[in-house]
Amino acid sequence: MAFSEQLVQKALIQQQNEINDYSIYTLLARHEPDPHNVKLLHKIAEEEKAHYHFCRTLTGKELKASRPLVLFYLILIKLLGTSFAAKFMESREVDAEAFYLDLAKDIPEAKQIYDQETRHENRLLTLLHDKKLNYAGAIVLGMNDALVELTGTLCGVALAFSKTATVGVTGLIMGIAASLSMAGSAYLESKESPVDAIDPKLYALNTGLAYIGTTALLVAPYFLFGSMALALGTMFVFAVLVIWLYSFYISVAKDAPFGSRFISMMALTFGVALISFGIGFAAKRYMGVDL
């Protein structure tokens, strides 16, 4: 059967995606300690390999996996876990589903691949056992709380204090103290958690370190710049970056919409910052606080 040039080009793109996914799933399985996960990942990898061979019948070409992409996913699983990396991979499958569904009009075999892409793999991914995903949630918790609390606090004291270094030191002290409190709360909360796989000490450590890390990022501009306006502006840029990372993680890990999560977090963070800024302005003008 002769195929059109347009179809061959689309098949080449999909063929590259399939060999990339096969290599990534194989690599994930190789670095996965849980035997249950290894079995599932190998099963998905073999399906991706079969999809690659199907596309090869359309293109007549052999392709190799993209090494930079495979390395990226290896780093991703080391940082955020197997489930997150696998779900992120599957979020790219929308174009693949459309390709196979359109192709099924002329090649019935493509319908079977479409069914696997839309149902079977997604069902397998929900069965993955990933302890790291629980601890990644602790990191997100620490980032989220530090973001809302510290952004508001720093905006408030920025108007009350005249020196950026004073604002930075104040924010750092408050951030460290709050991180210890947050870690303690996370420890107690995780001890009451029904999830046996969670180590309360490790959960608390991840939460506290995430809080401190976010604090360091937010207060850094106050030590780098002497201009309060520049320090505030840079802090807000960093805050938007953290919000984007937080929203991205939640959208992938929990299949939640990115846009609404990002907007709500932006509104909450900057709303608190605006109120705190007003309090700092009032303290400086009406109470004579100026340090």
Side-chain angles (χ1 to χ4, degrees):
M1 179 184 294
F3 302 107
S4 68
E5 182 64 24
Q6 184 180 12
L7 175 61
V8 171
Q9 291 302 315
K10 289 182 178 180
L12 270 172
I13 295 174
Q14 189 55 41
Q15 184 182 359
Q16 183 66 63
N17 290 338
E18 299 293 4
I19 194 62
N20 287 343
D21 289 352
Y22 164 72
S23 300
I24 293 168
Y25 278 120
T26 301
L27 188 63
L28 296 185
R30 192 180 304 162
H31 289 81
E32 174 58 43
D34 190 327
H36 172 80
N37 287 353
V38 171
K39 183 178 179 180
L40 290 176
L41 290 169
H42 275 306
K43 184 175 180 61
I44 297 176
E46 289 305 313
E47 289 182 356
E48 300 291 2
K49 186 177 182 180
H51 300 170
Y52 165 81
H53 287 303
F54 171 79
C55 291
R56 190 180 63 180
T57 63
L58 304 178
T59 65
K61 296 183 178 180
E62 288 283 356
L63 300 177
K64 294 183 178 180
S66 168
R67 289 188 176 182
L69 186 65
V70 174
L71 178 60
F72 168 76
Y73 276 97
L74 178 60
I75 295 173
L76 199 62
I77 189 176
K78 292 298 183 181
L79 292 176
L80 297 175
T82 305
S83 289
F84 181 88
K87 286 184 178 182
F88 183 59
M89 285 180 64
E90 289 306 307
S91 68
R92 302 185 291 108
E93 293 294 335
V94 176
D95 292 338
E97 294 170 9
F99 169 76
Y100 288 119
L101 184 60
D102 184 61
L103 191 61
K105 300 174 184 176
D106 301 314
I107 306 177
E109 184 182 350
K111 181 62 169 58
Q112 296 178 348
I113 300 178
Y114 169 78
D115 291 338
Q116 288 180 341
E117 295 284 1
T118 56
R119 291 200 304 265
H120 189 53
E121 289 180 2
N122 288 335
R123 182 170 60 85
L124 285 175
L125 290 175
T126 61
L127 299 177
L128 282 172
H129 299 160
D130 191 1
K131 296 179 181 179
K132 191 171 291 186
L133 194 60
N134 296 326
Y135 296 115
I139 295 174
V140 170
L141 176 64
M143 287 174 55
N144 181 40
D145 277 28
L147 181 67
V148 175
E149 294 173 7
L150 264 297
T151 303
T153 299
L154 291 171
C155 280
V157 298
L159 265 184
F161 296 162
S162 58
K163 295 182 179 180
T164 56
T166 306
V167 177
V169 170
T170 302
L172 189 61
I173 293 173
M174 295 182 67
I176 293 174
S179 69
L180 295 175
S181 175
M182 191 72 194
S185 298
Y187 175 79
L188 295 175
E189 179 184 353
S190 59
K191 285 197 70 173
E192 301 298 325
S193 173
V195 182
D196 296 332
I198 293 180
D199 181 348
K201 294 180 181 178
L202 190 56
Y203 190 87
L205 179 63
N206 277 292
T207 303
L209 289 178
Y211 199 110
I212 291 177
T214 305
T215 297
L217 186 65
L218 294 177
V219 302
Y222 297 95
F223 293 106
L224 296 175
F225 306 114
S227 167
M228 192 67 76
L230 183 58
L232 272 170
T234 306
M235 181 198 71
F236 281 124
V237 171
F238 288 164
V240 171
L241 175 62
V242 174
I243 293 172
W244 188 91
L245 292 172
Y246 169 82
S247 302
F248 169 73
Y249 174 83
I250 293 296
S251 67
V252 175
K254 298 187 177 181
D255 297 319
F258 172 83
S260 60
R261 174 74 62 173
F262 180 76
I263 292 173
S264 63
M265 278 297 300
M266 286 281 288
L268 176 62
T269 301
F270 285 90
V272 171
L274 184 61
I275 294 172
S276 300
F277 194 81
I279 294 173
F281 178 80
K284 183 173 184 177
R285 181 167 183 175
Y286 299 111
M287 300 177 64
V289 178
D290 190 4
L291 301 177

